Amino acid sequence: MMGRVLVVKFHLISDNKDTFVGMRLVGIPGVVVHKEDEIKTAINEALKDEDIAVVLITENLVKICREFIYDIKLNHSRPLIVEIPDRHGNGRAKDSITKYVRDAIGIKI
């Protein structure tokens, strides 16, 4: 009997081109945005795509529209929104983005 394979689709919303390029290199598509309306549009587009299970969003963007993002986290079952540091880190630890994502959602990418 063949087991089912679960495919989890990721999407990145970043304010940093280097983070965007790094994630593209591991197969994660995304967008680079800077303004509040662009962030909200990108998140709403991710909500429309039922295949997207995890949205990675840089911490700087979360700071710009924290209430909007936390409302989605509390009131939508999917996608899982994970805040990640950009390539400059977040000041809390010197972890790589990959380790941060792995710890947050429990899978290797």
Side-chain angles (χ1 to χ4, degrees), residues 7-13 39-57 68-83 105:
V7 176
V8 177
K9 187 174 176 184
F10 286 77
H11 185 75
L12 172 70
I13 302 173
I39 300 164
K40 289 179 178 180
T41 298
I43 291 171
N44 284 325
E45 289 298 316
L47 285 170
K48 291 178 189 175
D49 187 341
E50 293 184 14
D51 292 333
I52 296 175
V54 180
V55 171
L56 307 174
I57 184 167
F68 177 77
I69 292 170
Y70 284 176
D71 180 63
I72 291 171
K73 284 183 167 187
L74 291 172
N75 295 307
H76 290 81
S77 60
R78 64 138 218 85
L80 174 65
I81 298 177
V82 179
E83 300 172 41
I105 60 177

Side-chain angles (χ1 to χ4, degrees), residues 15-49:
D15 62 328
N16 183 288
K17 288 185 180 182
D18 292 333
T19 302
F20 172 78
V21 170
M23 290 297 184
R24 286 295 302 144
L25 289 172
V26 297
I28 298 175
V31 295
V32 176
V33 296
H34 299 285
K35 298 177 185 172
E36 184 174 354
D37 62 326
E38 296 172 329
I39 300 164
K40 289 179 178 180
T41 298
I43 291 171
N44 284 325
E45 289 298 316
L47 285 170
K48 291 178 189 175
D49 187 341

Side-chain angles (χ1 to χ4, degrees), residues 51-68:
D51 292 333
I52 296 175
V54 180
V55 171
L56 307 174
I57 184 167
T58 53
E59 289 177 333
N60 289 335
L61 295 181
V62 173
K63 290 176 189 175
I64 294 172
C65 56
R66 184 175 309 277
E67 289 181 25
F68 177 77

